[in-house]
Amino acid sequence: MRKPAILVVGSLNMDLSMEVTRFPQSGETVLGGVFTTAPGGKGANQAVQAARLGARVTLAGKVGNDGFGRELTASASAAGIDTGRIRISSAVATGTAAILLEREEGGGTRNRIIVAPGANMDLMPEDLDWLREGVAAFDMVMLQLEIPLEINRLVAEYAWEKGVPVMLNSAPSAPLDDRFLSRLTYISPNEHEAADLTGIAIRKEGGKAVQEDLEAVTRALLRRGVKNVLITLGGAGAVVSGESGLYHSPCVDVAEVADPTAAGDSFVGAFCTALCAGMDRRQALDFANCTAGITVTRMGAQPSLPTLEEVLPVLKREKARGFEPKLLECLR
Ligand code: RIB
């Protein structure tokens, strides 16, 4: 089996992160801790994750004609990604994200992220004129919601015409129409995005998501035309819809969450890579959980995303259903 080919059409942001011991109130100033910059953006993060796991990845997106843009393109290229489809905006600066990392007493870290999309929102249909025919060369297309919705719709339409599966990581939250949803093979919201999309809140009891709520959210999304639903539940793991109901995979145990930024991107990138490598949905779910379990223990978005060699021992330790070396051969 040849290496899977994945196309990501999505955002590239420079992440500007600052540690705080508590988030400031409105009108308040607090002193923070360490400040770092790192390449990020949901599209680029997912692309880098898939590439580090062994997929052949092309990233299409837009950056500004500035230092951040050049740095982000170089970072993607260093991960082995084909960056030839990244366009440069002459009008708008590269996207940035302001990230606050709140260190909690007793361990643990939470984040809050504000994205200034910049050039990501300047991605135009004409930047993707190669895609109508070109999409057929890929095993899967991955989308998120940090570029114009119109572009996502267009890409999903082209992929659908050629029978190429599409994964939409529906983050950040946005209203989505049924036509677009009907073009998706997978949608992967987190619990909050799922509630925004369906109006159904996913309750948690004893740290576990309530099954009835998960089923109601999944049914609502399937009714709107998506073929499969994958819901990430933070510390409660993730579920994916299958022939015989929902498959659940718990999070792997981690000693300490250093930085949850890009954990969701790591998860989705790994899930899609695993599917393209021939794993079934359950196996892909376990593989994704093991991958994201490493990501949260490290700082920064792209610097934290693990390679296949780093994930394999975790798969083995967790006795993950996806751990069959033969299945992973095509990623090496
Ligand atoms: O998902 C994490 C990412 O969200 C960050 O890298 C940031 O750039 C925002 O896009």
Side-chain angles (χ1 to χ4, degrees), residues 15-59:
D15 289 353
L16 315 173
S17 304
M18 201 181 282
E19 294 179 22
V20 289
T21 47
R22 69 175 176 82
F23 296 130
Q25 306 289 324
S26 171
E28 188 192 18
T29 302
V30 296
L31 287 181
V34 177
F35 171 77
T36 45
T37 61
K42 293 185 195 305
N45 295 345
Q46 292 174 24
V48 168
Q49 183 59 89
R52 292 213 176 124
L53 294 172
R56 278 190 299 126
V57 181
T58 299
L59 173 60

Short mmCIF file of all heavy atoms in Angstrom, two decimals, residues 15-59:
data_model
loop_
_atom_site.label_atom_id
_atom_site.label_comp_id
_atom_site.label_asym_id
_atom_site.label_seq_id
_atom_site.Cartn_x
_atom_site.Cartn_y
_atom_site.Cartn_z
N ASP A 15 1.12 31.58 16.57
CA ASP A 15 0.54 31.57 17.92
C ASP A 15 1.41 32.39 18.87
O ASP A 15 2.62 32.14 18.99
CB ASP A 15 0.44 30.13 18.45
CG ASP A 15 -0.65 29.34 17.73
OD1 ASP A 15 -1.40 29.93 16.93
OD2 ASP A 15 -0.73 28.12 17.99
N LEU A 16 0.78 33.32 19.56
CA LEU A 16 1.47 34.16 20.55
C LEU A 16 0.91 33.77 21.91
O LEU A 16 -0.23 34.11 22.24
CB LEU A 16 1.21 35.64 20.25
CG LEU A 16 1.34 36.05 18.77
CD1 LEU A 16 0.89 37.49 18.56
CD2 LEU A 16 2.78 35.87 18.28
N SER A 17 1.67 32.98 22.67
CA SER A 17 1.13 32.38 23.90
C SER A 17 1.75 33.00 25.14
O SER A 17 2.95 33.28 25.17
CB SER A 17 1.41 30.88 23.95
OG SER A 17 0.91 30.25 22.81
N MET A 18 0.94 33.16 26.15
CA MET A 18 1.41 33.71 27.41
C MET A 18 0.84 32.89 28.57
O MET A 18 -0.34 32.55 28.56
CB MET A 18 0.94 35.15 27.52
CG MET A 18 1.73 35.98 28.49
SD MET A 18 1.07 37.64 28.56
CE MET A 18 1.74 38.33 27.07
N GLU A 19 1.70 32.58 29.53
CA GLU A 19 1.22 31.84 30.70
C GLU A 19 0.68 32.80 31.74
O GLU A 19 1.26 33.87 31.96
CB GLU A 19 2.37 31.03 31.31
CG GLU A 19 2.86 29.93 30.39
CD GLU A 19 4.01 29.14 30.99
OE1 GLU A 19 4.18 29.15 32.22
OE2 GLU A 19 4.75 28.53 30.21
N VAL A 20 -0.42 32.42 32.38
CA VAL A 20 -0.97 33.23 33.49
C VAL A 20 -1.39 32.28 34.61
O VAL A 20 -1.65 31.10 34.37
CB VAL A 20 -2.22 34.05 33.05
CG1 VAL A 20 -1.85 35.19 32.12
CG2 VAL A 20 -3.27 33.17 32.41
N THR A 21 -1.43 32.82 35.84
CA THR A 21 -1.91 31.96 36.93
C THR A 21 -3.43 32.07 37.04
O THR A 21 -4.08 31.21 37.60
CB THR A 21 -1.26 32.33 38.28
OG1 THR A 21 -1.32 33.74 38.41
CG2 THR A 21 0.18 31.87 38.32
N ARG A 22 -3.99 33.16 36.49
CA ARG A 22 -5.47 33.23 36.34
C ARG A 22 -5.80 34.20 35.22
O ARG A 22 -5.04 35.13 34.95
CB ARG A 22 -6.14 33.63 37.65
CG ARG A 22 -5.88 35.05 38.07
CD ARG A 22 -6.69 35.42 39.31
NE ARG A 22 -6.36 36.75 39.76
CZ ARG A 22 -6.88 37.87 39.24
NH1 ARG A 22 -7.76 37.79 38.26
NH2 ARG A 22 -6.53 39.06 39.69
N PHE A 23 -6.93 33.95 34.57
CA PHE A 23 -7.36 34.83 33.49
C PHE A 23 -7.80 36.17 34.08
O PHE A 23 -8.47 36.20 35.12
CB PHE A 23 -8.53 34.20 32.72
CG PHE A 23 -8.19 32.93 32.01
CD1 PHE A 23 -8.97 31.79 32.16
CD2 PHE A 23 -7.08 32.84 31.17
CE1 PHE A 23 -8.67 30.61 31.50
CE2 PHE A 23 -6.77 31.67 30.50
CZ PHE A 23 -7.56 30.54 30.66
N PRO A 24 -7.46 37.30 33.44
CA PRO A 24 -7.90 38.60 33.97
C PRO A 24 -9.41 38.79 33.84
O PRO A 24 -10.04 38.25 32.93
CB PRO A 24 -7.15 39.61 33.11
CG PRO A 24 -6.74 38.88 31.89
CD PRO A 24 -6.65 37.42 32.23
N GLN A 25 -9.98 39.55 34.78
CA GLN A 25 -11.40 39.95 34.68
C GLN A 25 -11.47 41.11 33.68
O GLN A 25 -10.45 41.72 33.35
CB GLN A 25 -11.91 40.47 36.04
CG GLN A 25 -11.71 39.54 37.21
CD GLN A 25 -12.63 38.34 37.13
OE1 GLN A 25 -13.77 38.46 36.68
NE2 GLN A 25 -12.13 37.18 37.53
N SER A 26 -12.66 41.46 33.29
CA SER A 26 -12.84 42.61 32.39
C SER A 26 -12.30 43.87 33.07
O SER A 26 -12.59 44.13 34.23
CB SER A 26 -14.33 42.75 32.09
OG SER A 26 -14.57 43.94 31.43
N GLY A 27 -11.47 44.62 32.37
CA GLY A 27 -10.91 45.87 32.90
C GLY A 27 -9.71 45.67 33.81
O GLY A 27 -9.17 46.64 34.34
N GLU A 28 -9.27 44.43 33.99
CA GLU A 28 -8.19 44.14 34.92
C GLU A 28 -6.89 43.82 34.16
O GLU A 28 -6.93 43.29 33.05
CB GLU A 28 -8.58 42.91 35.75
CG GLU A 28 -7.62 42.63 36.90
CD GLU A 28 -7.87 41.25 37.53
OE1 GLU A 28 -8.53 40.42 36.90
OE2 GLU A 28 -7.38 41.02 38.64
N THR A 29 -5.75 44.17 34.78
CA THR A 29 -4.45 43.77 34.24
C THR A 29 -3.83 42.78 35.22
O THR A 29 -3.86 43.00 36.42
CB THR A 29 -3.52 44.99 34.12
OG1 THR A 29 -4.15 45.96 33.28
CG2 THR A 29 -2.18 44.60 33.51
N VAL A 30 -3.29 41.69 34.71
CA VAL A 30 -2.54 40.76 35.57
C VAL A 30 -1.15 40.57 34.97
O VAL A 30 -0.96 40.72 33.76
CB VAL A 30 -3.23 39.38 35.72
CG1 VAL A 30 -4.58 39.49 36.41
CG2 VAL A 30 -3.38 38.69 34.36
N LEU A 31 -0.19 40.25 35.81
CA LEU A 31 1.15 39.94 35.29
C LEU A 31 1.17 38.49 34.85
O LEU A 31 0.70 37.61 35.58
CB LEU A 31 2.21 40.18 36.36
CG LEU A 31 2.52 41.64 36.68
CD1 LEU A 31 3.62 41.72 37.75
CD2 LEU A 31 2.96 42.41 35.43
N GLY A 32 1.71 38.25 33.66
CA GLY A 32 1.79 36.89 33.15
C GLY A 32 3.16 36.30 33.37
O GLY A 32 4.03 36.90 34.01
N GLY A 33 3.35 35.10 32.82
CA GLY A 33 4.66 34.44 32.92
C GLY A 33 5.34 34.40 31.56
O GLY A 33 5.37 35.40 30.84
N VAL A 34 5.79 33.20 31.20
CA VAL A 34 6.58 33.04 29.97
C VAL A 34 5.74 33.35 28.72
O VAL A 34 4.58 32.95 28.63
CB VAL A 34 7.10 31.58 29.90
CG1 VAL A 34 7.86 31.34 28.60
CG2 VAL A 34 7.96 31.28 31.10
N PHE A 35 6.36 34.05 27.77
CA PHE A 35 5.72 34.34 26.48
C PHE A 35 6.46 33.56 25.40
O PHE A 35 7.70 33.54 25.37
CB PHE A 35 5.81 35.84 26.18
CG PHE A 35 5.39 36.21 24.78
CD1 PHE A 35 4.05 36.26 24.44
CD2 PHE A 35 6.34 36.49 23.79
CE1 PHE A 35 3.65 36.59 23.14
CE2 PHE A 35 5.95 36.81 22.49
CZ PHE A 35 4.60 36.86 22.18
N THR A 36 5.72 32.87 24.53
CA THR A 36 6.37 32.12 23.44
C THR A 36 5.61 32.33 22.13
O THR A 36 4.42 32.65 22.15
CB THR A 36 6.37 30.59 23.71
OG1 THR A 36 5.07 30.21 24.16
CG2 THR A 36 7.40 30.17 24.71
N THR A 37 6.32 32.15 21.04
CA THR A 37 5.63 32.12 19.74
C THR A 37 5.87 30.74 19.13
O THR A 37 6.94 30.14 19.35
CB THR A 37 6.17 33.19 18.77
OG1 THR A 37 7.56 32.95 18.54
CG2 THR A 37 5.99 34.59 19.30
N ALA A 38 4.89 30.24 18.40
CA ALA A 38 5.05 28.94 17.74
C ALA A 38 4.11 28.88 16.55
O ALA A 38 3.02 29.47 16.57
CB ALA A 38 4.72 27.81 18.71
N PRO A 39 4.50 28.16 15.51
CA PRO A 39 3.61 27.99 14.36
C PRO A 39 2.34 27.25 14.76
O PRO A 39 2.41 26.26 15.51
CB PRO A 39 4.43 27.15 13.38
CG PRO A 39 5.84 27.28 13.83
CD PRO A 39 5.79 27.50 15.30
N GLY A 40 1.21 27.75 14.30
CA GLY A 40 -0.07 27.12 14.62
C GLY A 40 -1.07 27.34 13.52
O GLY A 40 -0.71 27.53 12.35
N GLY A 41 -2.35 27.39 13.89
CA GLY A 41 -3.44 27.46 12.92
C GLY A 41 -3.99 26.06 12.74
O GLY A 41 -3.22 25.11 12.55
N LYS A 42 -5.31 25.93 12.81
CA LYS A 42 -5.88 24.58 12.81
C LYS A 42 -5.53 23.80 11.55
O LYS A 42 -5.22 22.60 11.62
CB LYS A 42 -7.40 24.66 12.99
CG LYS A 42 -7.78 25.16 14.37
CD LYS A 42 -9.26 25.14 14.62
CE LYS A 42 -9.62 25.98 15.85
NZ LYS A 42 -8.91 25.60 17.07
N GLY A 43 -5.56 24.48 10.41
CA GLY A 43 -5.25 23.78 9.17
C GLY A 43 -3.81 23.28 9.17
O GLY A 43 -3.53 22.09 8.92
N ALA A 44 -2.88 24.20 9.45
CA ALA A 44 -1.46 23.83 9.42
C ALA A 44 -1.15 22.78 10.50
O ALA A 44 -0.37 21.85 10.25
CB ALA A 44 -0.60 25.08 9.63
N ASN A 45 -1.76 22.90 11.67
CA ASN A 45 -1.50 21.92 12.72
C ASN A 45 -1.93 20.51 12.28
O ASN A 45 -1.22 19.52 12.47
CB ASN A 45 -2.26 22.26 14.01
CG ASN A 45 -1.79 23.56 14.64
OD1 ASN A 45 -0.73 24.08 14.31
ND2 ASN A 45 -2.59 24.10 15.56
N GLN A 46 -3.11 20.45 11.69
CA GLN A 46 -3.61 19.12 11.27
C GLN A 46 -2.75 18.55 10.14
O GLN A 46 -2.47 17.34 10.09
CB GLN A 46 -5.08 19.23 10.86
CG GLN A 46 -5.96 19.54 12.06
CD GLN A 46 -7.42 19.80 11.77
OE1 GLN A 46 -7.94 19.37 10.75
NE2 GLN A 46 -8.08 20.51 12.67
N ALA A 47 -2.30 19.46 9.27
CA ALA A 47 -1.42 19.02 8.18
C ALA A 47 -0.10 18.49 8.75
O ALA A 47 0.39 17.43 8.34
CB ALA A 47 -1.18 20.19 7.23
N VAL A 48 0.48 19.23 9.69
CA VAL A 48 1.77 18.81 10.27
C VAL A 48 1.61 17.48 11.00
O VAL A 48 2.46 16.59 10.89
CB VAL A 48 2.33 19.91 11.21
CG1 VAL A 48 3.49 19.38 12.04
CG2 VAL A 48 2.77 21.12 10.40
N GLN A 49 0.47 17.33 11.73
CA GLN A 49 0.28 16.07 12.44
C GLN A 49 0.23 14.88 11.47
O GLN A 49 0.89 13.87 11.68
CB GLN A 49 -0.99 16.10 13.30
CG GLN A 49 -1.19 14.84 14.11
CD GLN A 49 -0.03 14.59 15.07
OE1 GLN A 49 -0.03 15.05 16.17
NE2 GLN A 49 0.99 13.85 14.64
N ALA A 50 -0.55 15.04 10.42
CA ALA A 50 -0.65 13.95 9.44
C ALA A 50 0.71 13.65 8.82
O ALA A 50 1.10 12.49 8.64
CB ALA A 50 -1.68 14.31 8.36
N ALA A 51 1.47 14.69 8.52
CA ALA A 51 2.79 14.50 7.89
C ALA A 51 3.75 13.82 8.87
O ALA A 51 4.50 12.91 8.47
CB ALA A 51 3.36 15.84 7.45
N ARG A 52 3.73 14.23 10.14
CA ARG A 52 4.65 13.60 11.11
C ARG A 52 4.30 12.13 11.33
O ARG A 52 5.14 11.34 11.75
CB ARG A 52 4.61 14.35 12.45
CG ARG A 52 5.21 15.74 12.33
CD ARG A 52 5.92 16.21 13.59
NE ARG A 52 6.52 17.50 13.31
CZ ARG A 52 6.31 18.61 14.01
NH1 ARG A 52 5.53 18.58 15.09
NH2 ARG A 52 6.89 19.74 13.67
N LEU A 53 3.06 11.77 11.03
CA LEU A 53 2.66 10.37 11.20
C LEU A 53 2.90 9.56 9.93
O LEU A 53 2.63 8.37 9.90
CB LEU A 53 1.19 10.28 11.61
CG LEU A 53 0.88 10.85 13.01
CD1 LEU A 53 -0.61 10.90 13.25
CD2 LEU A 53 1.57 10.03 14.10
N GLY A 54 3.38 10.23 8.88
CA GLY A 54 3.78 9.47 7.69
C GLY A 54 2.94 9.68 6.45
O GLY A 54 3.23 9.08 5.42
N ALA A 55 1.90 10.52 6.52
CA ALA A 55 1.10 10.76 5.31
C ALA A 55 1.84 11.73 4.39
O ALA A 55 2.69 12.49 4.83
CB ALA A 55 -0.26 11.35 5.69
N ARG A 56 1.50 11.66 3.09
CA ARG A 56 2.00 12.67 2.14
C ARG A 56 0.96 13.79 2.16
O ARG A 56 -0.21 13.55 1.81
CB ARG A 56 2.08 12.09 0.73
CG ARG A 56 3.33 11.27 0.50
CD ARG A 56 3.48 10.92 -0.97
NE ARG A 56 2.37 10.10 -1.45
CZ ARG A 56 1.61 10.38 -2.49
NH1 ARG A 56 1.84 11.45 -3.21
NH2 ARG A 56 0.63 9.57 -2.86
N VAL A 57 1.37 14.97 2.58
CA VAL A 57 0.38 16.03 2.84
C VAL A 57 0.63 17.25 1.96
O VAL A 57 1.78 17.69 1.82
CB VAL A 57 0.41 16.45 4.33
CG1 VAL A 57 -0.63 17.52 4.61
CG2 VAL A 57 0.20 15.24 5.23
N THR A 58 -0.44 17.79 1.42
CA THR A 58 -0.40 19.08 0.73
C THR A 58 -1.25 20.04 1.55
O THR A 58 -2.36 19.69 1.97
CB THR A 58 -1.00 18.95 -0.69
OG1 THR A 58 -0.22 18.01 -1.42
CG2 THR A 58 -0.99 20.29 -1.42
N LEU A 59 -0.71 21.23 1.79
CA LEU A 59 -1.47 22.25 2.53
C LEU A 59 -1.77 23.42 1.59
O LEU A 59 -0.85 24.00 1.01
CB LEU A 59 -0.65 22.74 3.73
CG LEU A 59 -1.21 23.93 4.53
CD1 LEU A 59 -2.58 23.61 5.13
CD2 LEU A 59 -0.23 24.32 5.67
#
